[in-house]
């Protein structure tokens, strides 16, 4: 596999995403693909002994994934390997970790294409976000990462989505005419900025960018973001069917979308006639119903991994856990601000909202989930808080509650210990 030299040079000049290590302690970024309770549930079915746990952040960039993983693994003997082909990018990554006093991270300067030959060993979890679609041969990159994944390991992947990025590809096509890639990055940036400032507000290309919050943020917040979005020399998007085909070609299969609701037709159209479709077709239909997905995030496993059944929220021995790093700490302060019986929303990000009734059962469920209690123990607590409800009613309320949070990646379920 050949490393694309212009891509490598881009990230040496403009490390991405733009991060200032001097401001690192102002905010802990928490990528959904790196929430360890969810990862552990997918890898082992239940909380794992994190001593000896090995993670590869492939194409780590300036370190959003690396930092969050290392923070969650603080105090363990787990190892995070941060791999990238840009020395400038890795230096920002190192400085961010140092600002937090985080250790246990090994930095490796090399392209993903070379990873299988580096003697890195096998990993329980490999995260690779926003990288493989920039390779000359994304399928070869995926196969290379598969070679480093333990048989029961899991990958967290993000690739670009085709339909929601249409404005990006209009702009990229324009910039190939106005700022061809043989020019120096600084000159290409000047031309890009002049173009965006000069285009009429009615321009479909400009409006498509500015009316999409994620694109607007990339363009306005940093040169690195604008360049990565609109001047990249290698950029390959995927539809849902193409994601499945690409994974199969790489010896992998999709385990779970990061936010399952996004790929469920009933999220967009109640009563949608999808009974005749298989699961992959339903997911493809949901992508078209949404119409604006800009990326696909998902967990994948090797195609020879044992089939692992979906954990049942109604099983008494299942152990629920919040996915979010600090969600549990927010529950009591949030409940204190809401009158008993008053409804409220739990928000985990864009299009990831769970309306909560605010009644005694919902409040009991929120308080009881701690990653330790079983469903049976949670139901017992909720039953004491709602004496007017039968045991069956409490259980049904719990299943609806759990699946609502699970659908937006707010809750994960550890398999019963049997």
């Amino acid at each position: 596999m050949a490393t694309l030299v212009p891509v490598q040079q881009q990230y040496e000049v403009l490390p991405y995403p733009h991060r200032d290590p001097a401001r690192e302690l102002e905010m802990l970024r928490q990528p959904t693909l790196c929430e360890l309770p969810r990862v552990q549930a997918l890898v082992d079915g239940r909380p794992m002994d994190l001593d000896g746990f090995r993670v590869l952040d492939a194409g780590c960039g300036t370190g959003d994934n690396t930092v969050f993983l290392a923070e969650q693994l603080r105090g363990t003997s787990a190892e995070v390997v941060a791999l990238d082909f840009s020395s400038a990018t890795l230096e920002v990554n190192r400085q961010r970790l140092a600002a937090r006093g985080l250790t246990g991270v090994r930095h490796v300067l090399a392209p993903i294409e070379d990873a299988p030959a580096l003697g890195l060993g096998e990993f329980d979890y490999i995260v690779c976000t926003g990288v493989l679609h920039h390779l000359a041969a994304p399928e070869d990159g995926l196969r290379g990462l598969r070679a480093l994944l333990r048989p029961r390991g899991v990958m967290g992947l993000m690739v670009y989505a085709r339909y929601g990025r249409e404005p990006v590809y209009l702009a990229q096509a324009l910039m190939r005419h106005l700022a061809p890639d043989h020019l120096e990055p600084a000159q290409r940036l000047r031309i890009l900025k002049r173009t965006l400032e000069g285009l009429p507000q009615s321009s479909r290309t400009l409006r498509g960018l500015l009316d999409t919050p994620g694109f607007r943020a990339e363009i306005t917040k940093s040169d690195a973001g604008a360049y990565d979005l609109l001047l990249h020399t290698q950029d390959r998007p995927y539809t849902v069917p193409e994601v499945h085909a690409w994974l199969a070609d790489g010896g992998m299969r999709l385990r779970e979308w990061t936010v399952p609701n996004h790929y469920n037709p009933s999220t967009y159209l109640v009563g949608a006639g999808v009974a005749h479709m298989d699961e992959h077709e339903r997911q493809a239909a949901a992508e078209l119903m949404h119409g604006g997905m800009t990326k696909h995030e998902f967990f994948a496993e090797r195609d020879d991994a044992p089939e692992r059944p979906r954990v049942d929220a109604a099983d008494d021995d299942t152990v629920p856990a919040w996915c979010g790093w600090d969600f549990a700490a927010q529950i009591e302060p949030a409940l204190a601000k809401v009158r008993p019986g008053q409804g409220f929303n739990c928000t985990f990000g864009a299009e990831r909202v769970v309306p909560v009734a605010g009644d005694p059962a919902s409040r009991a469920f929120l308080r009881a989930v701690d990653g330790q209690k079983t469903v049976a123990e949670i139901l017992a607590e909720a039953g004491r808080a709602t004496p007017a409800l039968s045991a069956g009613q409490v259980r049904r309320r719990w299943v609806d509650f759990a699946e609502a949070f699970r659908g937006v990646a707010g809750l994960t379920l550890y398999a019963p210990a049997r």
Side-chain angles (χ1 to χ4, degrees), residues 368-380:
V369 172
D370 61 2
Q372 303 292 325
K373 295 186 183 76
T374 64
V375 166
E377 292 169 326
I378 291 171
L379 294 179

Side-chain angles (χ1 to χ4, degrees), residues 239-259:
T239 63
V240 163
E242 289 169 341
V243 166
H244 284 293
W246 173 62
L247 287 173
D249 189 50
M252 301 288 292
R253 63 177 177 238
L254 191 138
R255 177 75 180 280
E256 191 170 283
W257 297 103
T258 308
V259 183

Side-chain angles (χ1 to χ4, degrees), residues 311-332:
V311 181
D312 189 351
D315 191 317
D316 280 347
D317 295 323
T318 292
V319 176
W322 299 117
C323 296
W325 168 250
D326 54 359
F327 183 74
Q330 300 173 29
I331 291 172
E332 285 301 335

Side-chain angles (χ1 to χ4, degrees), residues 272-396:
V274 297
H276 62 288
M277 301 180 187
D278 65 23
E279 190 59 33
H280 288 190
E281 290 177 308
R282 294 178 187 181
Q283 295 165 3
E287 178 186 20
L288 292 167
M289 289 176 180
H290 185 288
M293 291 181 184
T294 61
K295 61 184 179 181
H296 296 302
E297 283 191 348
F298 49 91
F299 296 97
E301 62 189 1
R302 289 169 41 156
D303 57 5
D304 60 357
E307 292 283 352
R308 292 173 272 201
R310 192 169 189 269
V311 181
D312 189 351
D315 191 317
D316 280 347
D317 295 323
T318 292
V319 176
W322 299 117
C323 296
W325 168 250
D326 54 359
F327 183 74
Q330 300 173 29
I331 291 172
E332 285 301 335
L335 290 179
K337 297 177 182 178
V338 181
R339 296 192 307 273
Q342 180 183 355
F344 56 92
N345 289 332
C346 288
T347 303
F348 297 87
E351 301 177 280
R352 296 172 60 199
V353 179
V354 180
V356 178
D359 63 308
S362 298
R363 287 171 169 260
F365 296 151
L366 282 167
R367 290 184 168 119
V369 172
D370 61 2
Q372 303 292 325
K373 295 186 183 76
T374 64
V375 166
E377 292 169 326
I378 291 171
L379 294 179
E381 288 191 17
R384 289 191 290 271
T386 57
L389 298 180
S390 69
Q393 289 173 319
V394 173
R395 184 178 294 276
R396 287 191 292 273

Side-chain angles (χ1 to χ4, degrees), residues 115-175:
L118 297 176
L120 299 176
E122 292 186 323
F123 296 88
D124 300 285
Y125 185 54
I126 296 175
V127 61
C128 184
T129 59
V131 179
L132 293 174
H133 49 228
H134 291 316
L135 300 187
E139 62 280 3
D140 291 342
L142 181 63
R143 291 191 200 103
L145 293 181
R146 184 192 188 279
L148 302 176
L149 188 67
R150 286 178 175 158
R152 291 182 61 87
V154 170
M155 283 190 207
L157 301 172
M158 184 277 277
V159 294
Y160 292 148
R162 180 179 301 278
Y163 303 123
R165 283 177 63 86
E166 286 179 352
V168 171
Y169 298 123
L170 281 173
Q172 285 185 1
L174 172 62
M175 298 317 299

Side-chain angles (χ1 to χ4, degrees), residues 192-258:
L192 172 64
K193 291 178 180 180
R194 188 166 63 241
T195 301
L196 293 176
E197 291 169 357
L199 282 173
Q201 289 298 305
S202 59
S203 164
R204 180 172 177 239
T205 299
L206 183 64
R207 286 265 53 87
L209 295 172
L210 298 184
D211 290 344
T212 304
F215 298 156
R216 184 172 63 248
E218 289 279 45
I219 293 167
T220 59
K221 287 186 177 180
S222 71
D223 287 348
Y227 200 105
D228 193 78
L229 185 71
L230 301 177
L231 293 172
H232 213 293
T233 57
Q234 181 72 18
D235 179 332
R236 194 258 194 247
Y238 292 80
T239 63
V240 163
E242 289 169 341
V243 166
H244 284 293
W246 173 62
L247 287 173
D249 189 50
M252 301 288 292
R253 63 177 177 238
L254 191 138
R255 177 75 180 280
E256 191 170 283
W257 297 103
T258 308

